[in-house]
Amino acid sequence: MPAHTPPVSELHRRILDWFDEHRRALPWRDDPEPWRVMVSEFMLQQTPVVRVLPVFEAWLERWPTPAALAASSSGDAVRAWGRLGYPRRALRLHAAAVAIVERHDGRVPDSYDELLLLPGVGDYTAAAIASFAHVRRAVVLDTNVRRVFARVVEGVQYPAAGVVRAERDVAASLLPDDEATAARWAAATMELGAVVCTARSPQCDACPVSDLCRWRALGHPEHDGPPRRGQVWHGTDRQCRGRLMAVVREAHGPVAPELLVAAWSEAAQRERCVDSLLDDGLLDLDAEGRFILPG
């Protein structure tokens, strides 16, 4: 552990006490049934909580179990995903539900290793489900947690672009030994990064460990690593794909190719994005060459 790491027991006490008092009421947190947690983790990837909430509730009402989703088509999943963005997540969640039914008798597995074998589940998602749903001791490193540890322990404004070994070692060294406490710690540090130690406007006056934070002690030095890329949207292939998907998703039947012209006028980009949607399995063609959602 780095020599400048604040007293671990004090970090635990303060952050956990803060979490107990200030934690947001979220449906997957208030009722952490494993399938609910899994759905939330897929939906929250690169999507704010406020946009996820209404889709999450509708999704769980329609598909309250993995078996319910697995019994529906992948196209139904894409349609229900609505405008959350990155609709490949809907395909992966559907594939994961099928795998859960086939391999785990319809129950979301409770071990990190088994979760990691499910379609669409990477290191973070496996650790999050194991921790939040099954109260397992796991290193949960999302963007918010990584930012908190980078500032408090390392004294830098932002973590590296990708998780590095040293960063994982620090997180593991801070993880409480008790499983239940470790699960609370994962949720608490994530919450602290989401609502207080935010990327652009950290609220140091509201932080329970501000006096222990190395970044604050150093005078909040500016990030001196590679430039951080903002998310560009207008005019991108991602925006084009989203508009094309919306046309097919909201149609009551197959969509003729010419109907996509109104959604995106630039022909070369439109055709490129249509091809990519077909390659990704998000769109399919019927016998007459019209666009449909996958069956």
Side-chain angles (χ1 to χ4, degrees), residues 4 13 22 27 47 52-53 65-66 70 94 126 133 137 177-178 183 192 197 210 219 232 253 257 268 281:
H4 52 260
R13 183 185 67 79
H22 297 284
T47 305
V52 165
L53 286 170
T65 64
H94 181 271
R137 186 175 184 271
D177 293 330
D178 173 71
L192 186 64
C197 193
S210 60
V232 180

Side-chain angles (χ1 to χ4, degrees), residues 3 11 17 35 92 94 103 119 135 142-143 159 165 176 184 191 204 225 228 255 287:
L11 285 177
D17 285 351
W35 175 239
R92 291 168 182 161
H94 181 271
R103 305 176 199 166
V135 197
D142 84 330
T143 302
R165 175 61 183 272
R184 283 177 60 226
E191 187 80 341
C204 295
R228 287 163 50 82
V255 174

Side-chain angles (χ1 to χ4, degrees), residues 7-169:
V8 175
S9 60
E10 189 68 7
L11 285 177
H12 289 168
R13 183 185 67 79
R14 292 199 200 179
I15 292 177
L16 290 172
D17 285 351
W18 172 86
F19 180 63
D20 289 342
E21 182 178 354
H22 297 284
R23 56 184 285 172
R24 291 172 293 175
L26 299 172
W28 47 85
R29 179 180 289 165
D30 296 340
D31 179 9
E33 186 275 329
W35 175 239
R36 293 171 61 84
V37 172
M38 185 171 184
V39 171
S40 74
E41 289 299 335
F42 271 74
M43 289 186 173
L44 288 165
Q45 294 168 15
Q46 299 178 287
T47 305
V49 167
V50 67
R51 290 183 57 205
V52 165
L53 286 170
V55 182
F56 174 84
E57 297 290 3
W59 187 284
L60 267 297
E61 183 175 348
R62 182 173 182 180
W63 296 304
T65 64
L69 177 58
S72 295
S73 71
S74 57
D76 287 340
V78 171
R79 184 175 289 106
W81 199 255
R83 296 184 178 274
L84 281 182
Y86 301 100
R88 273 177 289 186
R89 292 179 292 170
L91 291 181
R92 291 168 182 161
L93 183 53
H94 181 271
V98 172
I100 289 170
V101 170
E102 293 177 347
R103 305 176 199 166
H104 303 285
D105 297 322
R107 294 186 294 271
V108 177
D110 60 2
S111 78
Y112 169 87
D113 291 339
E114 288 180 314
L115 287 162
L116 199 59
L117 295 175
L118 295 175
V121 175
D123 170 72
Y124 162 75
T125 304
I129 297 170
S131 179
F132 303 148
H134 297 294
V135 197
R136 296 287 187 265
R137 186 175 184 271
V139 175
V140 181
L141 282 176
D142 84 330
T143 302
N144 293 309
V145 177
R146 296 179 65 219
R147 186 169 56 253
V148 169
F149 292 165
R151 291 174 178 175
V152 174
V153 178
E154 300 297 336
V156 296
Q157 186 177 17
Y158 301 118
V163 178
V164 297
R165 175 61 183 272
E167 180 182 10
R168 183 172 291 279
D169 289 345

